[in-house]
Amino acid sequence: MPNSIPNDIYQYSLHSAYTAGLQSGGPPVAFLTNHGTYGYGFFDDGTTMLQVDRTAYTFSATGKATKAAQDAQLPFVMVCVFQPERRLGVDGMFGNMTALRDMFKNGEGQKGNVPIPFAVRGAFAKVKTKQGEWKNVQGTIFGFAVPKWASGVSGGWDGEGANGLRCAFLSGDKGTGGTVEDFECVTGSFLEFAKMGRFHLGMPFGAEAAEFEKMELA
């Protein structure tokens, strides 16, 4: 692969392949920092991976965050060397999940047809995740805004209420977090995001390649 440049997105496998059952193999955690400082994905046990400042975390069913093992494999993952180009205070513009999606969809920062790496940092009145809900908490949400045309490639549009945002939360003490379903910011929080450079897609290899080739993907 070419050398990483800021905000290039490196992705392994297709979201459609992952949801169709290709949920094993993939690059190990130790490989992530070759191409990214921040990222989002899934381990082969189905748990969510969030990479923040080069460190990968996994979350238990109750939202306990732990550092991921370096040999843990990721059958689906997206990473980038995240270098924000824009920073916005809350100001009512992106104070929750829906407002954030609408802001990106309407072309804030770049056209809505291009994936956007983003981070929301600071204090939250509420963060609701698949693993649990936390109130009056500090931390970081990182993820990618995925345009609808890329649903089968990068996901984010599955299920009722889906809005194209693939992101996870890590608390400030790095003890809790999970896959974000909604959030509410408070004054002092801020959004960082950047224009994606290039998109690099790696296909399944080895034993997983044979399974991949048998799939009929949409």
Side-chain angles (χ1 to χ4, degrees):
M1 281 189 172
N3 292 332
S4 300
I5 64 172
N7 305 313
D8 273 15
I9 294 176
Y10 287 82
Q11 179 176 311
Y12 174 78
S13 193
L14 299 174
H15 172 74
S16 56
Y18 181 83
T19 57
L22 187 53
Q23 300 179 0
S24 62
V29 166
F31 180 79
L32 296 183
T33 53
N34 291 345
H35 295 295
T37 55
Y38 282 73
Y40 175 91
F42 301 105
F43 293 105
D44 56 10
D45 63 359
T47 56
T48 297
M49 186 285 300
L50 177 66
Q51 183 190 30
V52 175
D53 291 329
R54 297 183 177 274
T55 300
Y57 297 86
T58 183
F59 306 100
S60 72
T62 57
K64 180 181 178 181
T66 56
K67 289 184 180 180
Q70 291 295 293
D71 61 353
Q73 291 183 285
L74 294 147
F76 177 86
V77 63
M78 302 171 69
V79 299
C80 69
V81 177
F82 184 50
Q83 289 189 12
E85 297 172 343
R86 294 283 304 277
R87 176 170 169 164
L88 301 174
V90 174
D91 298 333
M93 184 179 291
F94 68 94
N96 56 48
M97 196 84 155
T98 301
L100 180 60
R101 175 66 259 181
D102 288 347
M103 189 188 80
F104 287 142
K105 184 178 180 180
N106 293 331
E108 177 63 38
Q110 65 187 88
K111 293 182 178 180
N113 284 328
V114 180
I116 302 171
F118 71 90
V120 182
R121 306 180 193 269
F124 298 86
K126 177 187 76 173
V127 179
K128 181 182 179 183
T129 74
K130 290 183 179 179
Q131 293 81 0
E133 183 174 320
W134 292 272
K135 295 182 178 181
N136 302 317
V137 64
Q138 299 245 356
T140 297
I141 293 172
F142 176 80
F144 299 90
V146 178
K148 201 162 189 178
W149 67 262
S151 175
V153 178
S154 300
W157 291 95
D158 298 332
E160 185 178 354
N163 57 16
L165 299 181
R166 308 215 72 179
C167 54
F169 170 73
L170 180 67
S171 62
D173 64 5
K174 298 178 174 56
T176 55
T179 308
V180 175
E181 295 181 336
D182 199 5
F183 65 86
E184 293 178 9
C185 292
V186 300
T187 301
S189 298
F190 58 93
L191 166 69
E192 297 178 325
F193 61 98
K195 180 180 179 180
M196 183 196 76
R198 301 169 295 183
F199 185 86
H200 309 267
L201 180 61
M203 292 300 188
F205 53 86
E208 287 71 40
E211 183 178 352
F212 180 77
E213 289 297 333
K214 295 176 182 177
M215 293 179 162
E216 294 186 8
L217 303 174

